[in-house]
Amino acid sequence: MNKPKLSIVIPTYNEKENISKILRKLNELLKDIASEIIFVDDNSPDGTSQVVESFKKKSNNIHLIRRIGRRGLAGAVIEGIFAANSELVAVMDCDLQHDETKILDMLDMFSNNNSLDIVIGSRFTETGEISEKAFSKTRELGSKFTTLIIKKVLNIASTDPLSGFFMVKKESFLKSSENLQTQGFKVLADFLATSRNNIEIEEVGYKFKNRIAGESKMSFLTAFELIGLVLSQLLKGRVSIRFILFCMVGLSGIAVQLLITGLAMLLINQFPTSQTAGIIAAMTSNYFFNNTITFRERQLKSLDLIRGLFSFYLICSLGAFANIAIATYIFGFSSNWLISSFIGACFGAVWNFTLTSIFTWKSK
Ligand code: GDD
Ligand code: MN
């Protein structure tokens, strides 16, 4: 087979019913263009991979990357682009919310401009829009507001940096790929911010439609990952999204500890016991928040959830000892309680994060 001119990467999670529909549309649209379609499925429980396999048997331009024990849209898109055999790669949702006919316009734009790196399908240009049925009013407003913030804070020159629909030159993508994060939903924003001054961008407006079947995987948790992405970008990628989420949860733990210690003091008025209750409450709430937010795609359930809780208690208690030891040591020669305490806390956070990533939320 000749090298395809275009690769289309479609990340999927529980999209079984949409596979045949999107294939029909794409085959019709691309009948005169040498192309390949790469599905990246995170071993969806609904059997999406098996459906893709059945189509793969009948056609040699369909590929499947099936990932076991991993979740995450950004990582799936990155792996799909890595696997592409052509110079141009389009990325789109499987649910037909993105207008596939714009792929032809995107191809034209690349033919007319050799130095172009990426064309972004945008909901917010003059010709772009969001169908009334696609989003609730709240999500539409939320989406516009977030877009505005992201553009300003990350200094991105696109009207829709959170879009999930774009076509990129593989070579340009590879250049910044090692600095991209696999956690989260917003790989485009990450790419645009990472390669900010070195890429040429064009946009094409499209109408964001209603989902055909199945449901959106976006949830309010996506917002936390986005905050993590922004902070990580502001820190020039020196810390990962996951570590930032871990620290945010840690900060919430301080509030829990103060609240529970305060309540216990009111009730029993005994300091060490109240403080212990506060610490146990904070560790417990940290554990559950980390399990839901920070390590979402490795979330522990049923018996593993209990096993994980005890390993978390153990690791964090050792972390607390190390924190106190280091802070005391530094206080010994600096006599500055603020700096000593801060360094102790940083050490504790890194210790807890590293060891719980390895032992509590180990990847499969
Ligand atoms: N492999 C994999 N792993 N695929 C995933 C995962 C995952 O963890 N989560 C979602 N997907 C797939 C879905 O199956 C779908 O094909 C696509 O990624 C986008 O997910 P949706 O659940 O359809 O997201 P959305 O419609 O709410 O939001 C999309 O469109 C927005 C506007 O363009 C996303 O692409 C957003 O990033 C985008 O802002
Ligand atoms: Mn969608």
Side-chain angles (χ1 to χ4, degrees), residues 42-110:
D42 288 356
N43 208 25
S44 304
D46 77 344
T48 302
S49 282
Q50 287 78 353
V51 178
V52 174
E53 283 288 353
S54 70
F55 282 99
K56 224 178 103 174
K57 288 199 184 102
K58 294 176 246 164
S59 150
N60 55 6
N61 74 335
I62 298 177
H63 305 280
L64 169 66
I65 299 174
R66 183 173 175 184
R67 311 198 307 164
I68 306 283
R70 279 192 286 161
R71 268 301 301 275
L73 178 52
V77 168
I78 294 171
E79 279 186 44
I81 298 180
F82 279 169
N85 290 303
S86 54
E87 276 154 33
L88 291 178
V89 190
V91 175
M92 66 191 298
D93 282 11
C94 190
D95 52 16
L96 297 165
Q97 290 195 281
H98 297 148
D99 177 358
E100 75 286 347
T101 62
K102 298 293 175 199
I103 289 178
L104 301 182
D105 299 350
M106 293 175 170
L107 279 175
D108 282 344
M109 291 156 104
F110 274 103

Side-chain angles (χ1 to χ4, degrees), residues 245-264:
L245 293 178
F246 194 84
C247 291
M248 282 164 47
V249 169
L251 288 178
S252 79
I254 296 179
V256 172
Q257 175 170 339
L258 293 179
L259 184 77
I260 299 299
T261 305
L263 280 177

Side-chain angles (χ1 to χ4, degrees), residues 10-15 40-44 65 67 70-77 92-95 97-98 121 123 135 139 143 160-165 184-187 206 208 211 215-219 222 297:
I10 306 178
T12 57
Y13 195 75
N14 287 347
E15 301 285 358
V40 188
D41 184 56
D42 288 356
N43 208 25
S44 304
I65 299 174
R67 311 198 307 164
R70 279 192 286 161
R71 268 301 301 275
L73 178 52
V77 168
M92 66 191 298
D93 282 11
C94 190
D95 52 16
Q97 290 195 281
H98 297 148
R123 297 162 288 179
F135 273 180
R139 186 171 162 187
S143 177
D160 196 356
L162 301 178
S163 175
F165 183 33
F185 228 65
K186 305 301 180 184
V187 68
Y206 78 97
F208 186 73
R211 214 174 214 285
E215 46 191 59
S216 170
K217 279 91 214 170
M218 188 112 120
S219 73
T222 322
E297 74 286 1

Side-chain angles (χ1 to χ4, degrees), residues 18 41 95 124 132 146 162 213 249 340:
N18 292 321
D41 184 56
D95 52 16
F124 305 121
E132 273 170 23
T146 324
L162 301 178
V249 169
S340 312

Side-chain angles (χ1 to χ4, degrees), residues 303-320:
L303 264 186
D304 284 341
L305 186 67
I306 299 167
R307 180 194 55 72
L309 178 63
F310 285 98
S311 89
F312 189 79
Y313 281 154
L314 182 67
I315 292 168
C316 294
S317 313
L318 294 176

